[in-house]
Amino acid sequence: QAKREGVRFARFDRTTRSLSPQQLTLEADLHYALQRQELEVFYQPIYDAGNHRVSSVEALLRWNHPRLGRVSPAEFIPLAESSGLILTIGSWVIQQACRQLSLWHEHTPGLSVSVNLSARQFRHRDLVGVVRQSLEANGLPPDCLVLEITEGILVDVPDAEQVLHEFRQLGINISLDDFGTGYSSLSYLRRFPLTHLKIDKSFLEGLEEGGTNASIVRSVVTLAHSLGLHVTAEGIETQAQADYVHAVGCNNLQGYLLARPMPAQQCSELLRAASG
Ligand code: C2E
Ligand code: CA
Ligand code: CA
Ligand code: CA
């Protein structure tokens, strides 16, 4: 519920925002974070359920704050969105992820990268251009990029559908993140040109005992597959969860059990080891 409010706030004038003194300080610091090289993109491996190899990585932003240490994206992404800084920061993440992927392609050809997008970026005219240029500048095939969006974007951004069609025409993949946490979104699965669906980690609790979550996950996989969507289960922390989502046919697995988000260098080592 709180999350939803945040998305809405971003639409209004700055003066309607109510930020605590700590948040205002953090926002002021965020203005300089990029040029002071305090931001870093971590990568979390995503595994193919069939061959158990890394098929893609998700780019996850980190802020190494000089005084506060590592600040969580859950804290600073909302500030980046409400202040508009997400446009610059988000473009930087896209560029970083594409450059990194082109290096990884030297030893791990079919690897994909997933990049999270916020509503604010979606409302910006130039998003498609930024993405296309980043792919071209790094000589990447468009189908190795997955853009992760949330249901909030589909609801709040008037021309989300049009923008998504532009991405799909370029051959770029679109994943609906945190599926099941927002709205009753079954009609969105049909209406928007999606290629992937990520079942939110909140549905993995208690999977091993059966019950409601187990039924939901099984049904969502069936539904998604009938619509031709690839399904990723995120937040896998136990072997029992991995076994369950594997058994019901999830295509990809992501979570601490398999690998945590890590710096690019460490991810390079993991990929190299895996590519033999
Ligand atoms: P998200 O897109 O849903 O990303 C998944 C989050 O779950 C990440 O948190 C990841 O570190 C965490 N995670 C992965 N495996 C597990 C697990 O097994 N158990 C648990 N409990 N958590 C797991 P993180 O890195 O703190 O990012 C939080 C959120 O910040 C992301 O959620 C995303 O919404 C946002 N975010 C991160 N980077 C970016 C970015 O570059 N752009 C935008 N717009 N948002 C970003
Ligand atoms: Ca995500
Ligand atoms: Ca997610
Ligand atoms: Ca999330």
Side-chain angles (χ1 to χ4, degrees), residues 115-162:
V115 176
N116 294 286
L117 295 179
S118 80
R120 189 75 175 246
Q121 285 172 282
F122 245 77
R123 281 200 205 93
H124 197 261
R125 285 271 132 245
D126 211 30
L127 178 64
V128 178
V130 167
V131 169
R132 196 182 37 215
Q133 269 174 14
S134 299
L135 287 170
E136 282 171 8
N138 292 288
L140 291 171
D143 67 350
C144 68
L145 180 64
V146 183
L147 299 176
E148 296 199 2
I149 62 167
T150 54
E151 294 161 280
I153 290 180
L154 303 181
V155 176
D156 289 335
V157 182
D159 35 298
E161 191 173 351
Q162 173 56 30

Side-chain angles (χ1 to χ4, degrees), residues 71-79:
V71 181
S72 163
E75 252 180 274
F76 74 82
I77 293 285
L79 294 177

